[in-house]
Amino acid sequence: GGMEILKNREAIAINQDPACNQLYRLTLDRGPDEMPVYARLLANGDFAIGVFNLSEGAYRFVFGLDEMGITPESGKTLAPVEVWSGEKPSLDNGVFDVTVEAHGCRLYGKMTCKKCGRPIDSLDIGAYRKLVDKCAADYWCRDCLSEWLGWTRHYLDDVILMYRKRGCLLFPPFEGNEL
């Protein structure tokens, strides 16, 4: 349902990225106006990308990552995993290729733990910013952070829950015990 989409921690992490970079619309040489593609440079140097199909039929988006400024020389990357479904689009030879159903959208750009490489979410980012570096652009997952702190993962989750109940703005609002 709709609430699962709105509460998606990975989408929230992209939305609340500490760099606060503005979205920009990619100007592609092809494709009608009802097929917008937006990109956002994240604080860690990766890109998030939103692909929107506002038409009545399915649409295949095909464009080069160089159109986003992502070249081998740029040092920037696109984390090509869709945040709601886990879908991985084709990225052969730097060409992004995905088909989106009518009135559908996809959001790509899972952030990853800089220590172990696993995907992270807004709780990981909030915990790292609260306990390690409030201005960080790179983050660790809760497993790596608890190990570094010498805490159990359960204890770290309890600490996060305490901060959320107190209304700490580094975390999503607490609406029950959903850790």
Side-chain angles (χ1 to χ4, degrees), residues 97-112:
D97 185 350
V98 66
T99 300
V100 179
E101 72 281 358
H103 303 286
C105 69
R106 301 287 186 280
L107 177 60
Y108 297 91
K110 281 193 175 180
M111 298 175 74
T112 57

Side-chain angles (χ1 to χ4, degrees), residues 27-31 67:
T27 306
L28 304 175
D29 295 336
R30 62 222 159 274
E67 295 179 71

